[in-house]
């Protein structure tokens, strides 16, 4: 069998789940695949057909990158259908204690241990997801060592007896408190206990990565040497923004709050979608974001109606005459009284201009003159309302009207062409409960308490 058109399999050494470990011969690129003079070594092959297998391979690849800093040499492939690592064959030997310690510390966050490692010339030689039986070096008889061998044999019998007793009555250790510690701190506490460690993944975006979130058994319990301790390490993955497209505003608000986000600015545009449903969000659905981040929404205000009438010329007419013509044209009028020296009740301005095509039911505005009135002192029950507001970007180029609504009705504070970032400020008197309203092109954009 030849894998990746280059590696001739000699022997299957181990397999479990998606992992196969082979002894193989690597032919140089461009050489025949049956070339017996190729490089011999270990081939770790992943069959990646599920998300779990892909995750296992990338964890293995991350461990190899950590070991490369200690001198590990390997051919690594992460191409679709070709997920593997090849380690050229080297004579195995025992590393120094310091090299061994550094290698095990590098592997601790990924769940690998000494049984998955091989060393050569005081450097890592290979890393396999499945433990391999390491070959023992061949020995030749040296008859000058027979007598020391007998002594060693006797000592071995003694140690075997002690080991026999210890096997059936293994030492117990107390499980330490590991929750809240880093992976390196946990490894330091466990490395001399004789316990096996199984690492699982958890997620809490509010806590640091590779922090121990949970452990089993809990701290304080006694475990026999060789038993397994399960640790859950935090991956600290950000929370994705929920998909809100097509949902009404109130439901979208609830979903954002449940996911830990805050509703930001709400804008509206004409659309074929039902009125009030979400068209888009910023950040988009699925984007990773931190809890508490603001999410802006774009809502539908319904489709644009076809124009079937037009705005009449109302300038110079009386208020009653203008309202009569607007009613005949099927238009909704908004009247604003403006103090003026002109005769009372005359139309001073109109929006939109005369002749503008409009759909029936559209709102229009007219300004009607009134005689200036003497401003009387505020009534005792009135109170001051301070306005300090900046027009949003959506106001650019649109007709803007800012009003104050209180017990006396709705009063215009500002009306004119909108400019993004234009500051509006003032101090006004209100009676009863007061609300501020901002209209863009006659449509209520925002309402709030001052």
């Amino acid at each position: 069998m030849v894998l990746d058109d280059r590696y001739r399999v000699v022997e299957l050494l181990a397999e479990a789940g998606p992992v196969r470990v082979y002894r193989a011969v690597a032919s140089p690129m461009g050489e025949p695949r049956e070339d017996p003079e190729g490089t011999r070594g270990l081939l770790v092959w992943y069959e990646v057909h599920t998300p779990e297998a892909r995750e296992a391979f990338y964890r293995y690849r991350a461990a190899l990158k950590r070991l490369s800093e200690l001198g590990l040499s390997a051919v690594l492939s992460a191409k679709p259908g070709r997920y593997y690592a090849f380690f050229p064959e080297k004579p195995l030997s025992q590393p120094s204690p310091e090299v061994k310690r550094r290698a095990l510390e590098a592997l601790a966050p990924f769940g690998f241990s000494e049984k998955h490692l091989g060393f050569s010339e005081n450097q890592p030689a290979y890393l396999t997801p499945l433990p391999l039986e390491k070959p023992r070096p061949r020995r030749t008889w040296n008859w000058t060592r027979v007598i020391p061998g007998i002594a060693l044999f006797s000592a071995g019998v003694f140690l075997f007896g002690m080991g026999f007793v210890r096997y059936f009555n293994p030492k117990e250790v107390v499980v330490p408190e590991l929750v809240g510690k880093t992976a390196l701190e946990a490894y330091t506490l466990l490395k001399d206990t004789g316990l096996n460690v199984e690492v699982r993944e958890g997620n809490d975006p509010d806590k640091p990565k590779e922090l121990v979130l949970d452990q089993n058994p809990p701290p304080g319990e006694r475990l026999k040497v060789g038993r397994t301790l399960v640790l859950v390490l935090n991956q600290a993955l950000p929370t994705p923004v929920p998909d809100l497209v097509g949902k009404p505003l109130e439901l979208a608000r609830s979903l954002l709050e449940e996911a830990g986000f805050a509703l930001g600015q709400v804008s509206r545009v004409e659309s074929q979608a039902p009125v009030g449903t979400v068209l888009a969000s910023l950040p988009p659905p699925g984007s990773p974001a931190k809890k508490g981040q603001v999410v802006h929404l774009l809502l539908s205000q319904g489709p644009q109606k076809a124009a079937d009438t037009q705005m009449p010329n109302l300038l110079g007419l009386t208020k009653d005459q203008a309202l009569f013509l607007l009613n005949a044209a099927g238009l909704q009028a908004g009247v604003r009284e403006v103090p003026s020296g002109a005769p009372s009740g005359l139309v001073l301005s109109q929006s939109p201009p005369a002749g503008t095509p409009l759909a029936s039911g559209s709102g229009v505005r007219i300004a009607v003159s009134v005689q200036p009135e003497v401003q009387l002192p505020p009534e005792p029950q009135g109170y001051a309302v301070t306005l300090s507001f900046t027009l949003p970007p959506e106001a650019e180029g649109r007709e803007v009207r800012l009003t104050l609504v209180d017990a006396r009705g709705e009063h215009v504070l500002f009306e004119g062409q909108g400019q993004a970032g234009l500051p509006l400020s003032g101090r006004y008197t209100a009676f009863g409960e007061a609300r501020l309203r901002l209209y863009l092109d006659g449509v209520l954009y925002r309402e709030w308490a001052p």
Side-chain angles (χ1 to χ4, degrees):
M1 180 172 62
V2 177
L3 297 176
D4 197 19
D5 203 32
R6 182 180 178 187
Y7 298 96
R8 180 168 55 85
V9 173
V10 177
E11 178 185 2
L12 175 64
L13 300 178
E15 65 175 319
V19 183
R20 308 287 187 275
V21 182
Y22 301 102
R23 181 173 284 111
V25 178
S27 299
M29 297 300 292
E31 297 295 332
R33 295 180 301 181
E34 294 78 9
D35 179 14
E37 300 301 327
T39 303
R40 293 180 175 271
L42 290 179
L43 178 65
V44 177
W45 187 274
Y46 274 79
E47 294 290 344
V48 177
H49 303 296
T50 64
E52 291 77 12
R54 184 182 302 276
E55 179 182 347
F57 173 76
Y58 282 112
R59 186 187 300 112
Y60 174 65
R61 184 178 70 169
L64 292 179
K65 291 183 178 179
R66 293 286 289 271
L67 287 181
S68 66
E69 300 173 2
L70 302 179
L72 176 66
S73 176
V75 178
L76 185 64
S77 172
K79 299 178 181 179
R82 291 175 287 178
Y83 298 89
Y84 65 82
F86 179 75
F87 306 94
E89 190 175 74
K90 296 179 180 179
L92 300 182
S93 60
Q94 287 294 327
S96 67
E98 175 64 18
V99 170
K100 182 177 179 181
R101 180 189 66 80
R102 292 173 59 193
L104 294 179
E105 287 181 354
L107 294 178
F110 308 102
F112 297 109
S113 61
E114 181 179 358
K115 62 185 179 182
H116 301 97
L117 266 175
F119 292 89
S120 176
E121 298 180 356
N122 212 29
Q123 290 181 336
Y126 67 80
L127 174 67
T128 61
L130 306 177
L132 299 180
E133 182 177 353
K134 299 176 182 177
R136 300 179 180 273
R138 295 182 178 179
R139 297 185 181 273
T140 57
W141 285 100
N142 188 339
W143 293 102
T144 60
R145 300 180 181 177
V146 171
I147 294 178
I150 295 175
L152 291 175
F153 175 77
S154 301
V157 172
F158 173 74
L159 294 175
F160 173 78
M162 293 184 63
F164 183 83
V165 174
R166 178 166 292 186
Y167 177 79
F168 287 99
N169 187 23
K171 176 184 175 183
E172 289 187 342
V173 295
V174 178
V175 177
E177 172 67 63
L178 301 173
V179 175
K181 300 187 182 301
T182 65
L184 182 57
E185 291 171 340
Y187 168 75
T188 303
L189 292 173
L190 295 174
K191 65 178 181 179
D192 297 326
T193 61
L195 299 177
N196 294 325
V197 179
E198 178 182 341
V199 177
R200 298 178 183 175
E201 291 185 353
N203 187 52
D204 187 341
D206 296 329
K207 294 183 179 179
K209 189 175 182 180
E210 294 190 358
L211 192 77
V212 178
L213 299 177
D214 195 12
Q215 65 179 87
N216 187 29
E221 288 199 13
R222 303 184 69 86
L223 277 185
K224 293 183 178 181
V225 172
R227 295 295 178 89
T228 299
L229 174 66
V230 179
L231 297 181
V232 179
L233 291 185
N234 188 28
Q235 300 303 301
L237 300 176
T239 304
V241 174
D243 187 359
L244 306 175
V245 176
K247 296 178 174 57
L249 176 60
E250 290 307 315
L251 177 57
R253 186 196 307 272
S254 300
L255 293 175
L256 286 175
E257 292 175 354
E258 291 176 5
F261 300 109
L263 177 61
Q265 186 172 333
V266 177
S267 303
R268 293 172 172 83
V269 296
E270 295 175 347
S271 168
Q272 296 299 321
V275 176
T277 56
V278 178
L279 301 177
S281 66
L282 183 68
S287 302
K290 295 182 179 179
K291 288 189 176 181
Q293 181 170 335
V294 171
V295 178
H296 305 289
L297 298 182
L298 180 65
L299 302 185
S300 169
Q301 64 181 21
Q304 183 179 11
K305 296 181 181 179
D308 55 4
T309 186
Q310 65 179 11
M311 181 69 169
N313 186 6
L314 308 175
L315 298 180
L317 300 180
T318 65
K319 174 182 175 181
D320 292 340
Q321 292 171 337
L323 293 178
F324 175 80
L325 292 178
L326 291 174
N327 183 62
L331 301 174
Q332 302 294 324
V335 180
R336 178 173 61 96
E337 294 182 343
V338 180
S340 171
S344 181
L346 291 184
V347 177
L348 301 177
S349 65
Q350 65 181 66
S351 179
T356 301
L358 297 171
S360 297
S362 299
V364 299
R365 296 187 302 277
I366 60 174
V368 178
S369 64
V370 295
Q371 294 300 317
E373 297 180 0
V374 178
Q375 296 293 326
L376 299 177
E379 298 180 6
Q381 65 271 26
Y383 59 94
V385 172
T386 301
L387 171 65
S388 179
F389 180 72
T390 301
L391 291 183
E394 290 79 5
E396 182 68 36
R398 303 171 73 175
E399 285 293 326
V400 174
R401 180 159 51 100
L402 182 64
T403 65
L404 171 65
V405 182
D406 62 3
R408 300 171 300 171
E410 187 170 5
H411 313 280
V412 177
L413 304 182
F414 173 83
E415 184 168 16
Q417 191 75 11
Q419 297 180 14
L422 177 67
L424 302 178
S425 61
R427 188 176 178 85
Y428 307 92
T429 301
F431 294 82
E433 182 182 359
R435 305 284 292 178
L436 293 171
R437 291 179 180 174
L438 177 65
Y439 296 86
L440 299 181
D441 290 337
V443 178
L444 180 61
Y445 174 79
R446 180 182 173 188
E447 180 176 333
W448 71 98

